[in-house]
Amino acid sequence: MSKRNSQAAKQAARERLRVERERQAKRDKVKRQLVVAGSLVGVLAIAGGISYAVVQGNKPDHWEAAADAKLVKPAHTSGENGTTVVIGKSDAKKTLELYEDPRCPVCASFEQTVGKTIEKDVEEGKYKIRFIGASFLDRNLTGEGSKNALSALGAALDVSPEAFLAYKAALYSAEYHPEETDDKFKDDAYLIKIANTVDALKGDKGFQTAVKDGTYDKWALEMSEVFDKSEAQGTPTLMMDGEKLTGSDGQNAPMTVAEFTTAVDKALKA
């Protein structure tokens, strides 16, 4: 190879190397720009996410919002906030007050054992029954099942007192009542499923809409407040004429039909 050809080859090689370096430099610049842009998007996304989380965190939850909502009272109630629920014949001289929390397992046992006796006594006019619902287990165990079930009971009461009693019995039944730590009553679909086992509520679109829309959520909170301000220390609690009805232990609610009948008959004679 001549000296001239050798120099030309070297010059061509240097030129190719220069062009390649310029191309690589451009590629590196674009890559850096993409990294910076991606980082900026990531920072903005994180900042946006934090801002969204802060806004969402400052929003009231469903039940906080329900507390400020307009009160809708179920039919067949009385009192300033519709929290007086009395069922029975008007000429019955005395009223049995029953305090219950929907998630309460002892209430479920009581209803499964004594519930039919109470319904029979009320139907015969032996006494009226006043229901006071509680939701303290939502606070103690966390959750919303007690409040949600109370709201659904309000929807049942709006249909009729008979529907209310039948639905309450179904909620406390061995088949449908969950463990107290299982917040199953928070699920509207589950509450509606139970209602569909009650003749007076089966397929009732008005009832179902009220449950889904939370029509009586505010009422459920008002009812819970009545319990919180009462003398009842737990559930179930039975009162008549301001006196607590107890079983043979003298402390807790009567949990058998025999104990219940004895306690009620004594209170009716007082």
Side-chain angles (χ1 to χ4, degrees), residues 108 111-112 167-178 194 197:
E111 286 283 348
Q112 291 166 27
Y167 186 50
K168 184 162 73 76
L171 289 173
Y172 284 119
S173 68
E175 182 175 1
Y176 293 111
H177 195 269
I194 298 173
T197 68

Side-chain angles (χ1 to χ4, degrees), residues 108-128:
S109 296
F110 174 81
E111 286 283 348
Q112 291 166 27
T113 304
V114 184
K116 289 296 183 182
T117 300
I118 293 177
E119 288 185 29
K120 180 175 177 291
D121 288 350
V122 171
E123 187 177 345
E124 292 176 352
K126 191 172 181 179
Y127 49 80
K128 294 187 284 288

Side-chain angles (χ1 to χ4, degrees), residues 95-101 104 106-108 110-111 118 129-134 136 168 172 227 230-240 242-247 251-255 260:
T95 301
L96 175 67
E97 295 180 352
L98 175 58
Y99 299 77
E100 293 180 318
D101 186 311
C104 170
V106 184
C107 295
F110 174 81
E111 286 283 348
I118 293 177
I129 182 84
R130 180 184 176 190
F131 173 78
I132 300 95
F136 65 90
K168 184 162 73 76
Y172 284 119
F227 173 86
S230 73
E231 296 179 7
Q233 299 299 309
T235 56
T237 293
L238 283 72
M239 305 276 290
M240 187 175 283
E243 297 294 326
K244 185 177 178 181
L245 276 62
T246 62
Q251 296 181 352
N252 299 305
M255 297 299 293
F260 172 79

Side-chain angles (χ1 to χ4, degrees), residues 31-183:
K31 185 176 181 181
R32 286 194 301 272
Q33 289 173 335
L34 289 174
V35 170
V36 171
S39 299
L40 180 59
V41 169
V43 170
L44 291 174
I46 292 171
I50 292 173
S51 298
Y52 178 79
V54 170
V55 170
Q56 291 299 109
N58 289 331
K59 275 188 175 181
D61 69 15
H62 170 76
W63 290 100
E64 288 175 338
D68 295 327
K70 181 180 179 181
L71 175 64
V72 180
K73 305 174 188 178
H76 314 106
T77 65
S78 59
E80 181 182 356
N81 294 317
T83 52
T84 301
V85 179
V86 178
I87 299 172
K89 295 185 176 180
S90 58
D91 58 354
K93 294 181 179 179
K94 294 198 176 186
T95 301
L96 175 67
E97 295 180 352
L98 175 58
Y99 299 77
E100 293 180 318
D101 186 311
R103 290 176 71 179
C104 170
V106 184
C107 295
S109 296
F110 174 81
E111 286 283 348
Q112 291 166 27
T113 304
V114 184
K116 289 296 183 182
T117 300
I118 293 177
E119 288 185 29
K120 180 175 177 291
D121 288 350
V122 171
E123 187 177 345
E124 292 176 352
K126 191 172 181 179
Y127 49 80
K128 294 187 284 288
I129 182 84
R130 180 184 176 190
F131 173 78
I132 300 95
S135 62
F136 65 90
L137 285 177
D138 283 352
R139 298 192 297 270
N140 294 353
L141 301 173
T142 69
E144 57 186 285
S146 292
K147 296 186 290 289
N148 208 36
L150 281 178
S151 179
L153 280 166
L157 183 60
D158 193 66
V159 174
S160 72
E162 292 75 22
F164 171 85
L165 291 175
Y167 186 50
K168 184 162 73 76
L171 289 173
Y172 284 119
S173 68
E175 182 175 1
Y176 293 111
H177 195 269
E179 295 290 329
E180 62 182 324
T181 54
D182 183 359
D183 196 25

